[in-house]
Every structure is written in C-alpha cells, then in structure tokens.
Amino acid sequence: MGAQENAALVRRGYEAFSAGDTDALRDLFPEDAVWHAAGNGPLSGVKQGRDAILAYFGELFSRSNGSVKVTVEDVAPGDRYTVGVQFTHAERNGKTLDQRQVIVFSISDGKVAEGIEMAGDTTMAADFWT
C-alpha cells in the first residue's frame, strides 16, 4: 500500500471509532497489533493484541458514558507511518476533556500494526480518566 491508501485506511479507522463500529475496527488491526497510550493514567500503557486495543477503545466510551468524540483535524500520509491529528472531547463525572492528540500509525499489509497515541497534556488526560 502507498501513502494515500494508508491515509484512507486511517480515516476509515477514525470513522469506525466515531461510529462505535467494533466490527469495522476489528478488520483494521491484525491479531498481534500493538497500541501505546501515553502518560501515567489508568488507561495509559501498552495494549498488546487486537482484543486489548478494542477493549481500550471500549473503556474510553464506557468511562465517558459514550460522550467521547474525536474530530479528525488532519491525516498526514506516509509510506511507513501515517499521522492522525485529532481533537478529543469527552465528559465524565462533571469534568470535561478537550485536547488535541496525535496518533502515529504504523501500517503493514493493509492493517494498523501499531498505534502510538500522544496527548497534548498527559496530566490532564490522566486526571480526567481517573
């Protein structure tokens, strides 16, 4: 796959996440995919395998009572890495999270093999999700 196909794959992933479409998300990751959530909060750390990644995404929806919303600001295509810039909004226990995040996607064989998620303010994110 080339850079434009990788960007299209990432955009499909964002659409599936926003729609809560677990089946579509499942198709985007190989079984051995890895996801890195930056910071030191309760949801931070490495998620090993597609099921762990999907469980993490589900936890974002669960902890925010379904309010988590990701707005894609840009997708920068590349042959090896594709970068998604997003704005994340969520509400939880009277708190609001509004911040920009960047995810570096590693694409292999038409699937997202690895995601490295970086929050604009990891302390704010940790406080919100705790």
Side-chain angles (χ1 to χ4, degrees):
M1 289 179 60
Q4 295 308 316
E5 292 84 3
N6 290 346
L9 176 76
V10 166
R11 287 188 184 280
R12 282 196 313 274
Y14 274 115
E15 289 169 8
F17 179 87
S18 293
D21 187 343
T22 306
D23 291 335
L25 284 170
R26 181 174 298 284
D27 290 342
L28 296 177
F29 293 97
E31 219 173 283
D32 62 347
V34 178
W35 193 270
H36 306 267
N40 59 359
L43 300 181
S44 300
V46 179
K47 318 309 179 203
Q48 294 281 0
R50 177 178 52 213
D51 291 340
I53 295 167
L54 295 176
Y56 165 66
F57 292 164
E59 190 68 19
L60 295 174
F61 280 95
S62 176
R63 287 188 183 219
S64 69
N65 294 314
S67 71
V68 68
K69 180 180 178 192
V70 171
T71 303
V72 179
E73 294 184 337
D74 205 355
V75 174
D79 290 326
R80 183 162 177 208
Y81 297 103
T82 298
V83 178
V85 179
Q86 68 188 50
F87 189 82
T88 303
H89 169 85
E91 297 173 11
R92 179 173 193 263
N93 298 333
K95 299 184 282 188
T96 301
L97 176 70
D98 283 312
Q99 73 172 344
R100 185 163 284 113
Q101 292 179 288
V102 173
I103 302 177
V104 178
F105 298 92
S106 176
I107 313 289
S108 179
D109 296 325
K111 304 251 184 200
V112 176
E114 182 178 30
I116 303 170
E117 178 183 317
M118 294 170 269
D121 185 333
T122 56
T123 300
M124 179 194 317
D127 289 345
F128 178 81
W129 295 112
T130 298

